[in-house]
Amino acid sequence: MILRSLTAQQFRNLDAADQAFHPLANIVVGRNGQGKTNLLEAIYFLATTKSFRTSRVGSLFRFDAPAVRVAGALERDGLTRTLAVALDGARRVLMINGEKVALPAYLNAMSVFAYSQSRLEVIRGAPEERRRFLDRGIAGIHPGYLEELTRYGRVLKQRNALLHAIAHGDAAASSLDAWNDEFIAAASIVTRARAAYATEIAAELVRIGGPDVTMTYGGADEATLRERMAKLRREEIRARMSLVGPQRDTLEFLAGGRAAHEVLSGGEQKMLVLFLKFAKVALFRRRFDEPPLFLLDDIDAELDLEVLQKLLIRLPAATQVFATSAKESFLQALEAGSHRRLTLEKGRVTASRDFV
C-alpha cells in the first residue's frame, strides 16, 4: 500500500499543488507553524475522512473557505486508484476513481495509523477516548464492524428515546422488553469485538517488547447485561437513558496494578502510545499480508531514541512512513534507508530531495 501523491484544496494552510511521495520514508521538515502536521493530517483525512488532531471537522477548512477536498493516488495490489474526499458544508462526498462510493467501501480502500501528541488521550483522557481507540482499531482490520457499531448506536438512541417516553408517561415500562432484546443483541457484537481486539493488541505489545503494562477491558456478556438491565430498570427510567452497555464499557492500562497515567512519566506515556501504534501496524500486517501507511507526527525529545530505532527496524518491510519532528536526531532514525526529505514553508513544499 503506497500513497504516490496527494492534492489538498482549501485544507488548512496547505498549498494546492500536487505532491509526490517516496514509497518508503518521507521526512517532513520545516520551522514550527509551517504546515508539517497539516500534511500528515491531510493524508489521514484522505484515508479516514477524519482528523487525528480534532473532532471538529470545520477546523480543517481554510479560513472562510466554503469547501475542502483532498485527493490522492494510491497503489495497492499492483493497481493505482484515485481516492478523494470532499466536504461542502455538512455534505460529504467520497469517490474512488471518480465514482461516488459509500463510506464502508471507501474506508476499506486505504489504511493508515497515526502517532501524535493528541493520541496521549488514549492513556490519560476520558473513557470515551479508550473506547474510540478500540473501535478504530477493530474497524481497521474488520471493515464490517463499522456497520455493527452504527447499528448499536441507532438501537441505543431508540432505547433512550423510549426510556424518556416512559418517564413522561407516554409509554408503558413493559414496552422496554422487546427493545432490550434488540439492545442486547447489538451490544454483544460490539463487546465481543472489543474484548477480542484488546486481547490481540496486548499480545502484540508483548511480542514487540513493549512496556510492562496490563490492558484490561470491562464489558458485560449477554447474561450479565440482561441481569443488569433488569436490576437497573427503575434507575434507567428515572435517568431517561441507558445506564449499561458498550457506551459505558472501560479499557484500562495498568502499570504495577495502578492506572498508567498516574505512575508513568510523560515520556513513558508517549512511549506506550507509540508501542500501541506499532502493535496495531503489526496486527494489520499479519491479517492482510501488507502494511498500512504509518504517520509519525512531532516525535519529540521525551521519547527514547534507542527504543524508537529498534521499533522502526521492526516495522514490516515496505511500510510507507511519513514523519515530522523538530528534533533532527529523531529524524536520523529514519534516514538510514532510502527516503525523501520534504521541506515545508507556509504550507508549500519548497524543496524535495531523495536519498538512497
Side-chain angles (χ1 to χ4, degrees), residues 170-241:
D170 297 328
S174 59
S175 60
L176 269 177
D177 295 337
W179 272 110
N180 285 353
D181 291 338
E182 185 79 11
F183 183 85
I184 291 171
S188 297
I189 294 174
V190 173
T191 299
R192 286 196 297 269
R194 287 177 176 175
Y197 184 75
T199 299
E200 289 180 300
I201 286 296
E204 288 293 345
L205 272 180
V206 174
R207 190 173 289 113
I208 64 177
D212 186 14
V213 172
T214 301
M215 289 176 59
T216 304
Y217 173 68
D221 58 25
E222 294 185 27
T224 303
L225 186 56
R226 190 177 295 278
E227 180 181 338
R228 289 179 181 175
M229 292 170 73
K231 184 177 180 180
L232 295 174
R233 174 170 287 205
R234 290 184 179 178
E235 286 82 353
E236 287 191 318
I237 292 173
R238 281 199 294 268
R240 304 173 189 178
M241 63 185 296

Side-chain angles (χ1 to χ4, degrees), residues 45-116:
F45 178 69
L46 176 66
T48 68
T49 77
K50 299 180 183 299
S51 164
F52 62 73
R53 301 164 70 185
T54 177
S55 59
R56 295 182 59 252
V57 178
S59 65
L60 305 180
F61 290 67
R62 184 173 297 177
F63 184 68
D64 281 344
V68 63
R69 182 178 186 272
V70 177
L74 182 75
E75 182 180 322
R76 188 174 189 183
D77 298 327
L79 300 174
T80 299
R81 294 188 292 177
T82 300
L83 309 182
V85 54
L87 296 177
D88 184 356
R91 191 171 68 97
R92 179 177 61 191
V93 179
L94 308 174
M95 305 185 77
I96 297 179
N97 288 340
E99 296 184 1
K100 291 183 180 180
V101 297
L103 181 62
Y106 185 85
L107 295 179
N108 198 33
M110 176 179 173
S111 296
V112 60
F113 295 125
Y115 167 85
S116 70

Side-chain angles (χ1 to χ4, degrees), residues 34-312:
Q34 300 303 303
K36 300 188 301 294
T37 295
N38 294 348
L39 179 60
L40 269 59
E41 186 182 26
I43 295 172
Y44 190 86
F45 178 69
L46 176 66
T48 68
T49 77
K50 299 180 183 299
S51 164
F52 62 73
R53 301 164 70 185
T54 177
S55 59
R56 295 182 59 252
V57 178
S59 65
L60 305 180
F61 290 67
R62 184 173 297 177
F63 184 68
D64 281 344
V68 63
R69 182 178 186 272
V70 177
L74 182 75
E75 182 180 322
R76 188 174 189 183
D77 298 327
L79 300 174
T80 299
R81 294 188 292 177
T82 300
L83 309 182
V85 54
L87 296 177
D88 184 356
R91 191 171 68 97
R92 179 177 61 191
V93 179
L94 308 174
M95 305 185 77
I96 297 179
N97 288 340
E99 296 184 1
K100 291 183 180 180
V101 297
L103 181 62
Y106 185 85
L107 295 179
N108 198 33
M110 176 179 173
S111 296
V112 60
F113 295 125
Y115 167 85
S116 70
Q117 298 284 357
S118 63
R119 291 304 197 223
L120 283 173
E121 294 304 305
V122 171
I123 306 300
R124 60 195 186 196
E128 179 184 359
E129 293 293 337
R130 288 179 282 284
R131 290 191 290 269
R132 189 176 293 121
F133 163 79
L134 292 175
D135 292 336
R136 282 195 300 252
I138 298 167
I141 57 176
H142 297 294
Y145 176 72
L146 279 179
E147 295 182 17
E148 298 294 349
L149 189 63
T150 300
R151 176 195 168 206
Y152 172 71
R154 287 196 301 265
V155 174
L156 174 63
K157 183 177 181 179
Q158 291 166 329
R159 185 172 186 269
N160 285 345
L162 178 57
L163 287 167
H164 194 276
I166 294 171
H168 279 80
D170 297 328
S174 59
S175 60
L176 269 177
D177 295 337
W179 272 110
N180 285 353
D181 291 338
E182 185 79 11
F183 183 85
I184 291 171
S188 297
I189 294 174
V190 173
T191 299
R192 286 196 297 269
R194 287 177 176 175
Y197 184 75
T199 299
E200 289 180 300
I201 286 296
E204 288 293 345
L205 272 180
V206 174
R207 190 173 289 113
I208 64 177
D212 186 14
V213 172
T214 301
M215 289 176 59
T216 304
Y217 173 68
D221 58 25
E222 294 185 27
T224 303
L225 186 56
R226 190 177 295 278
E227 180 181 338
R228 289 179 181 175
M229 292 170 73
K231 184 177 180 180
L232 295 174
R233 174 170 287 205
R234 290 184 179 178
E235 286 82 353
E236 287 191 318
I237 292 173
R238 281 199 294 268
R240 304 173 189 178
M241 63 185 296
S242 301
L243 300 178
V244 294
Q247 80 282 1
R248 288 177 171 258
D249 287 350
T250 59
L251 174 67
E252 295 184 339
F253 295 94
L254 305 176
R258 295 174 57 188
H261 72 273
E262 295 178 355
V263 297
L264 298 183
S265 67
E268 289 172 327
Q269 290 181 43
K270 292 175 183 178
M271 191 59 70
L272 172 56
V273 173
L274 187 59
F275 266 97
L276 286 170
K277 292 299 176 183
F278 274 87
K280 291 176 73 172
V281 171
L283 181 57
F284 183 94
R285 174 68 175 81
R286 187 171 292 110
R287 286 294 178 88
F288 297 105
D289 197 30
E290 69 171 342
L293 275 66
F294 194 28
L295 312 181
L296 288 163
D297 182 47
D298 195 19
I299 308 170
D300 65 21
E302 287 192 77
L303 291 174
D304 188 309
L305 179 56
E306 183 178 352
V307 174
L308 176 60
Q309 289 174 323
K310 289 180 179 178
L311 282 172
L312 289 171

